[in-house]
Amino acid sequence: MSAEGKTGRWCGCLLCRVGDEQTMKELRDGGAQGPEWEWVAAHLVDYALRVLHHQHARQTLAREANTHRRAAHLHPVVLAPEDAQALDADPAQPTALFVATCTTALDRFRRIDLLGGHWRPGGRRVPGYYVTRCYFVLGDELTTWRRARTKERKVAAAAYRLAEEDERLGGRDVVEDLRQVDPAVVGALVETMREPLREATRYRLDHPDATWAAAARALHVSPRVIEAQLRRWRRSRRREGER
Ligand SMILES: [Zn+2]
């Protein structure tokens, strides 16, 4: 008995040993659990992952999926240009999407098609049939994947903004300069600052690793206020130095 022609693999699972009809009957009788089921499940997921990756690489995935989705009266999936871009930019992205798709589809296949008796002999062979189940859940999985991507982008953007704030507030670091000054003088210098810059500076003097952004967060003030005050304070110190 040959395994799926497309993979050309013979893994020794029930499907490969005794064929579709016998496999489905034996698995159903056994409650679709245990090593035989796991082995068949591994064969199916392995096959479907190859098909999905292959179709994605050939840019035929949405078309293939929609042919089957339309027949089942499901709305077509649409891969927007930004989806395609995100999927192409990082190989981990299509893998994450397709693994999630195969996992959800496997659960449904087990409950509905195998135990529920929805799969019937004489129709589509089991691995191909399972791939159509992957197409059916692909729409929802795509939505979930997009949400996760949006969240990732927001987190990355927030981290970037914080880094940018530190960068803008950086340059020559006033607090590092103050650390070099006689402690008796520091108090007097800090007194010349306005709030909340004064408090933020004291915070940083007390917390050697803290950045301006961290001080602003700790004091619940806007980093921009500190940035503006710092610029003004530097200008005023420079003017005094010039006198
Ligand atoms: Zn097999």
Side-chain angles (χ1 to χ4, degrees):
M1 155 103 27
S2 77
E4 276 298 306
K6 271 187 182 170
T7 57
R9 280 153 61 100
W10 195 91
C11 76
C13 75
L14 270 181
L15 281 172
C16 295
R17 294 200 318 268
V18 302
D20 288 6
E21 197 172 340
Q22 186 67 16
T23 294
M24 293 300 266
K25 187 185 176 312
E26 283 187 29
L27 289 178
R28 193 177 302 138
D29 291 347
Q33 54 194 349
E36 292 289 15
W37 157 246
E38 311 248 314
W39 206 344
V40 168
H43 178 128
L44 293 177
V45 170
D46 180 61
Y47 174 73
L49 278 177
R50 282 158 190 273
V51 171
L52 296 179
H53 274 292
H54 179 73
Q55 291 175 347
H56 171 63
R58 297 185 60 190
Q59 301 184 339
T60 58
L61 177 59
R63 200 174 67 219
E64 294 277 354
N66 288 337
T67 303
H68 294 275
R69 289 176 67 88
R70 269 191 214 99
H73 306 290
L74 294 169
H75 68 84
V77 293
V78 178
L79 271 179
E82 56 267 30
D83 293 329
Q85 214 172 20
L87 288 168
D88 290 342
D90 176 6
Q93 295 296 332
T95 299
L97 172 63
F98 298 154
V99 166
T101 300
C102 288
T103 306
T104 305
L106 186 69
D107 177 57
R108 290 172 58 105
F109 172 82
R110 181 181 174 276
R111 281 188 294 112
I112 299 166
D113 303 300
L114 175 53
L115 295 174
H118 211 266
W119 180 86
R120 297 283 158 81
R124 187 175 281 271
R125 291 217 42 209
V126 171
Y129 180 95
Y130 167 66
V131 171
T132 64
R133 269 48 198 164
C134 291
Y135 294 147
F136 289 173
V137 301
L138 182 62
D140 284 347
E141 292 301 329
L142 202 53
T143 304
T144 306
W145 173 78
R146 276 188 198 121
R147 276 198 205 112
R149 290 271 317 150
T150 306
K151 205 173 150 194
E152 273 169 31
R153 273 203 305 274
K154 277 186 187 157
V155 169
Y160 177 75
R161 271 199 307 277
L162 286 180
E164 232 187 10
E165 274 160 14
D166 279 336
E167 177 79 11
R168 259 203 325 272
L169 293 171
R172 228 172 104 82
D173 189 350
V174 171
V175 176
E176 284 311 312
D177 287 350
L178 286 176
R179 289 189 211 285
Q180 315 302 319
V181 178
D182 181 345
V185 182
V186 172
L189 275 173
V190 173
E191 281 302 316
T192 66
M193 293 172 172
R194 291 169 64 177
E195 292 292 13
L197 175 62
R198 192 190 304 162
E199 206 183 342
T201 304
R202 284 188 181 134
Y203 181 90
R204 285 201 54 206
L205 286 168
D206 291 342
H207 301 81
D209 293 331
T211 59
W212 284 121
R217 276 197 300 283
L219 302 173
H220 303 291
V221 295
S222 158
R224 284 170 199 282
V225 172
I226 293 180
E227 178 192 3
Q229 290 191 340
L230 187 59
R231 238 184 280 120
R232 236 175 279 134
W233 185 80
R234 274 181 169 147
R235 266 203 305 271
S236 70
R237 296 303 307 162
R238 236 186 350 259
R239 273 200 303 272
E240 251 169 53
E242 285 161 4
R243 260 182 227 155

